[in-house]
Amino acid sequence: TLRLICTTTAVQRKNVGASGPEKYTEAFIKKQIEEFNLGKRHLANMMGEDPETFTQEDIDRAIAYLFPSGLFDKQARPMMKHPTEVFPEQRKIQWGEDGRPFHFLFYTGKQSYYSLMHETYEKLLNVQKHQDQLIAQDLPLQKEKRNLAGSRWLTKIELEEMLLEKVSDDDYSRFIQLLQKLAALPCADIEEKYILKFSKEVPVQLQKVVIEPLQYDERGVAFSTGEGKRKTASATAVVYDNGTGKITVNGIDILHYFPVLQDREQLLFPFQFLGRIGKHDMVCTVSGGGRSAQAGAIRLASAKALRSFVTEKEVEFMRQAGLLTVDPRVKERKKPGQEGPRRKFTWKKR
Amino acid sequence: QLDRGCALHTAARAGLSSVSSQDVPAQGPRAVFHTSESDPAKHTEQHEGRLYNIPLEEVKAVFPHGLPHRFQQQIQTFNEARVMVRKPALELLAYLKGSNLAHPAVRYVIYGERGTGKTMTLCHVVHYCWRQGWLVLHIPDAHLWVKNCKELLQSSYKKDRLDQPLQASVWLKNFKSSNERFLQEIKTQRKYMWGKQESTEEGRPLGEVVEQGLARVRSASDAVGVVLRELRQQSHRGSFRLLVAVDGVNALWGRTTLRKEDKSPVSPEELTLVHNLRKMVRNDWSGGAIVTTLSQTGSLFKPSSAYTPQELLGKEGFDALDPFVPIPVSNYSPREFESCYGYYLERKWLQHEKAHTEDGKAELQFLSGSNPRQLDRLAGPL
């Protein structure tokens, strides 16, 4: 069976379309659409804008202005959207007035699934026929191979949304196996359009972070800046080249600003990792947070600043060592009914 | 780096094998960091950054109570006392060598940040003076006299002053052990009465006064006062030279944590010991020198970032000590750091494998900020 390795938030939504019989009639939805358009024009009039060129973004802005809300959940705030976005897609009634179903596979129970399987198998047979023809004519089979690396197949939930009916795990895996078999054939380019319907682009994981080039100050010494945050403390660091390893924080030497060894070790870490302990000077400013948070913020800032001095491979090493990631840990909120974020009140039996 | 060091310092080597030969590599590093010159009188800039050895018997004789605690532990561990020759100490020694003893005593104040080596500089100077045959009046830490005193007696000599018998007797004991021969030579110039019955006649050796103080603990502080006065009055005659070495001199003018029985705070003038010491530190006598250190570590009611004479002495102290020669002491220079690091390595104090590498050395330098105390504390667990 196939396993989902990565899931996006879109995938985790419930599929409402395949849940049950129709809740909203077609006439009802049409009426909603009319009301929406009228309302849009009224809103445009109210805001003093042109009703013809009033886009959805303008609607959102107008509603946020007219009904300001302090709720944290964006989906709990008042919104005005097109009915097709609000009401989920429904399956229309699949039999006529005489009770006779429209589709020939209705009595299988999963009509859209089986019709999809039939279609896909038809395409497969097509491709095989084409392949035989080419072999008979002794023509080369391979054309360009499609790159499957940047794309993934539809997930089960997305397939359910497409077919508007429930798909079980087994059925889903069989469908994907069939698709893969089809795509693996050398002459699958003919049916490429059909295959593309069921594949999606994987978003590029590694966002290319731009490394700033070195700047030079009046004396001709190369330097670069970096910023870092950790748990309410924010720091900016300026790392100079050709130095002796002196570090100044807010105008004070690190021995005096961080009397604790642990904080100084945190500052030492990026330089030690790159092996450049005595080679750079650093001047930083830091505010907010506590002793440890400030040390962590300066560490991040100096690591970011050092990227400009160092090769790309070493930048990758730094990233893997965790020197360049922002630490997401912040103080957790205290909940009502508990003494702290996790600690509950003392339990008394009576 | 080692070769460069060898090339520069071949001149000072006396007993060790020649450094440039490669067949004795274990001796090479030793030569760079150490001096066989154990007489401070002969230390010059050439010896700067190197460590010299004080024989253990001398340590017991000269410093019964003067050395910092951690250094004493180090002596016990390494079974030798190695003191680094540093620039401030050399400066002071040069001044002392060139000073004219007929003039009133010059005051030197050693100041610097925490843990930079002020007390060690003082000890170096004290060793030099002892070698030269001076009478050394070494008060290890004046802060001990203004805080944590369990017993306060009302002085019999002056009504409003308070005595500290314990501290005075401890100090007298140490003073006696370091300056035995002087105590026999110097004679008292006046008759002193201890209470109703005991007295010391004129012309008796000072040793008797000290014995008296040790025997009768009640009058120990007065004995200290007598000793100080006698030394002050006789030093200008020239039969001996007097060195007054006070560590933590800012305690004499600060506040105290002591309270009288009616819970009112005691000010330093009310303590006999402090009063007498203040008279000692005034430069109205000649025939010697006064070397003092400021210390923030033991000082009371002063912020931890204060290290200049002005901040630590306060207005009163500054006026009292003015004029003086300030001698700043700073963190290790790169050369001094290297020699200290080399010494630790050689004595196998740094056991961690990474500590032997260049990176380890750079790390130690970074983390300690070249501060001697930090380096010592860092190297401890390694």
Side-chain angles (χ1 to χ4, degrees), chain B residues 300-320:
Chain B
L300 304 158
F301 309 105
K302 287 272 185 287
S304 61
S305 53
Y307 73 96
T308 56
Q310 229 149 351
E311 289 165 4
L312 279 176
L313 285 173
K315 189 161 177 319
E316 230 185 275
F318 198 79
D319 291 332

Side-chain angles (χ1 to χ4, degrees), chain B residues 6-308:
Chain B
C6 295
L8 279 176
H9 303 300
T10 33
R13 292 305 78 258
L16 296 169
S17 54
S18 69
V19 175
S20 47
S21 66
Q22 296 295 325
D23 48 337
V24 199
Q27 295 285 334
R30 199 194 168 89
V32 181
F33 304 125
H34 296 278
T35 312
S36 63
E37 214 40 89
S38 61
D39 188 2
K42 307 214 188 82
H43 286 160
T44 58
E45 272 105 35
Q46 228 184 10
H47 299 94
E48 192 191 320
R50 319 253 224 118
L51 302 132
Y52 81 96
N53 192 9
I54 311 181
L56 285 171
E57 307 81 31
E58 278 192 31
V59 168
K60 268 198 267 205
V62 185
F63 299 117
H65 55 177
L67 296 171
H69 184 60
R70 276 195 84 91
F71 189 66
Q72 276 169 355
Q73 285 174 333
Q74 192 182 311
I75 295 178
Q76 270 182 344
T77 322
F78 292 157
N79 227 9
E80 63 174 7
R82 288 248 165 213
V83 178
M84 193 184 284
V85 178
R86 294 181 74 190
K87 242 214 308 261
L90 287 172
E91 212 183 302
L92 244 189
L93 291 179
Y95 288 148
L96 282 176
K97 281 178 206 170
S99 62
N100 187 350
L101 294 167
H103 289 171
V106 188
R107 288 186 284 222
Y108 305 94
V109 174
I110 308 178
Y111 70 99
E113 310 242 328
R114 272 211 282 192
T116 46
K118 305 182 282 283
T119 315
M120 292 309 293
T121 317
L122 190 71
C123 294
H124 190 172
V125 172
V126 162
H127 184 224
Y128 161 74
C129 294
W130 188 86
R131 271 297 185 100
Q132 297 282 308
W134 294 36
L135 208 180
V136 171
L137 200 76
H138 186 42
I139 289 119
D141 196 356
H143 291 296
L144 292 173
W145 291 356
V146 297
K147 58 178 178 173
N148 300 343
C149 177
K150 293 287 184 283
E151 283 188 19
L152 273 182
L153 295 176
Q154 212 180 25
S155 164
S156 49
Y157 183 56
K158 282 246 166 45
K159 271 291 174 309
D160 52 357
R161 288 214 216 128
L162 295 161
D163 267 357
Q164 284 154 305
L166 291 170
Q167 275 94 353
S169 55
V170 160
W171 186 80
L172 274 177
K173 202 159 62 175
N174 290 326
F175 177 65
K176 187 173 123 173
S177 65
S178 62
N179 293 315
E180 293 268 11
R181 65 182 173 99
F182 284 111
L183 293 173
Q184 306 309 319
E185 291 169 3
I186 305 174
K187 307 282 187 240
T188 55
Q189 285 180 332
R190 251 182 46 170
K191 188 168 153 187
Y192 294 106
M193 298 289 296
W194 311 110
K196 298 211 179 84
Q197 277 120 25
E198 288 113 13
S199 70
T200 313
E201 306 296 326
E202 196 180 313
R204 306 293 297 163
L206 253 185
E208 274 200 23
V209 176
V210 177
E211 295 294 329
Q212 175 73 33
L214 282 174
R216 295 263 178 277
V217 182
R218 271 177 174 266
S219 46
S221 331
D222 290 325
V224 171
V226 164
V227 164
L228 293 182
R229 165 194 278 200
E230 287 299 320
L231 291 174
R232 214 167 47 231
Q233 284 169 348
Q234 296 186 12
S235 63
H236 72 93
R237 281 207 224 128
S239 51
F240 62 89
R241 285 161 295 172
L242 180 62
L243 173 77
V244 179
V246 188
D247 202 344
V249 76
N250 48 327
L252 300 179
W253 286 280
R255 287 156 59 183
T256 63
T257 43
L258 306 172
R259 281 171 186 274
K260 293 192 259 228
E261 267 149 20
D262 52 352
K263 306 274 187 187
S264 63
V266 175
S267 77
E269 297 94 36
E270 296 178 20
L271 296 166
T272 354
L273 290 174
V274 173
H275 183 85
N276 290 323
L277 202 55
R278 279 200 200 174
K279 281 196 269 184
M280 208 60 201
V281 167
R282 270 200 327 228
N283 59 353
D284 51 359
W285 50 277
S286 63
I290 308 175
V291 183
T292 63
T293 11
L294 295 179
S295 168
Q296 198 280 325
T297 343
S299 74
L300 304 158
F301 309 105
K302 287 272 185 287
S304 61
S305 53
Y307 73 96
T308 56

Side-chain angles (χ1 to χ4, degrees), chain A residues 247 255-256 264 268 272, chain B residues 113 363 366-368 371 374:
Chain A
I247 301 192
L255 254 193
H256 293 269
R264 273 175 281 150
L268 172 70
Q272 182 206 23
Chain B
E113 310 242 328
E363 254 186 66
F366 183 97
L367 284 176
S368 63
N371 185 301
Q374 291 291 331

Side-chain angles (χ1 to χ4, degrees), chain A residues 89-302:
Chain A
E89 248 180 77
Q90 299 278 308
R91 251 206 303 208
K92 305 183 207 33
I93 301 210
Q94 281 153 21
W95 49 88
E97 280 177 1
D98 52 351
R100 193 160 172 271
F102 294 136
H103 203 282
F104 70 102
L105 286 173
F106 175 78
Y107 286 110
T108 56
K110 316 175 218 179
Q111 65 175 38
S112 14
Y113 170 72
Y114 281 118
S115 68
L116 182 70
M117 290 295 272
H118 277 301
E119 248 188 76
T120 317
Y121 192 64
E122 207 184 300
K123 307 281 182 203
L124 188 83
L125 288 175
N126 250 348
V127 167
Q128 278 174 346
K129 211 169 59 176
H130 189 249
Q131 207 172 334
D132 294 333
Q133 281 173 4
L134 286 183
I135 290 174
Q137 297 165 16
D138 284 324
L139 283 174
L141 299 169
Q142 298 275 18
K143 288 176 194 159
E144 310 131 23
K145 238 348 182 164
R146 214 165 28 104
N147 188 18
L148 285 159
S151 59
R152 63 172 173 89
W153 297 118
L154 282 189
T155 55
K156 183 162 143 327
I157 302 180
E158 283 166 3
L159 189 64
E160 278 183 3
E161 274 180 31
M162 204 155 114
L163 301 177
L164 293 178
E165 71 179 13
K166 282 229 177 311
V167 175
S168 79
D169 286 331
D170 272 336
D171 297 338
Y172 173 71
S173 53
R174 285 189 80 105
F175 175 60
I176 295 292
Q177 276 165 9
L178 193 59
L179 269 184
Q180 279 171 346
K181 195 167 159 190
L182 174 61
L185 290 178
C187 295
D189 313 315
I190 310 165
E191 311 299 342
E192 197 162 322
K193 242 196 308 187
Y194 182 73
I195 297 176
L196 279 177
K197 263 199 282 180
F198 298 105
S199 68
K200 271 208 176 152
E201 281 281 322
V202 171
V204 178
Q205 294 267 349
L206 302 159
Q207 290 156 356
K208 274 284 171 191
V209 185
V210 178
I211 306 177
E212 292 109 23
L214 292 173
Q215 301 156 30
Y216 292 86
D217 68 352
E218 315 91 37
R219 286 173 300 160
V221 177
F223 73 95
S224 78
T225 36
E227 288 180 359
K229 273 198 209 286
R230 167 94 211 269
K231 213 197 202 184
T232 336
S234 60
T236 46
V238 184
V239 177
Y240 294 93
D241 209 353
N242 292 344
T244 42
K246 222 167 52 138
I247 301 192
T248 311
V249 180
N250 283 356
I252 307 177
D253 193 38
I254 47 161
L255 254 193
H256 293 269
Y257 197 80
F258 291 125
V260 182
L261 178 67
Q262 177 195 351
D263 303 333
R264 273 175 281 150
E265 278 180 348
Q266 289 286 302
L267 290 203
L268 172 70
F269 184 25
F271 298 99
Q272 182 206 23
F273 188 75
L274 299 170
R276 288 165 177 249
I277 300 184
K279 295 190 194 140
H280 294 284
D281 273 343
M282 190 158 79
V283 177
C284 6
T285 44
V286 66
S287 62
R291 174 205 87 187
S292 205
Q294 286 188 341
I298 301 181
R299 180 186 111 173
L300 182 60
S302 61

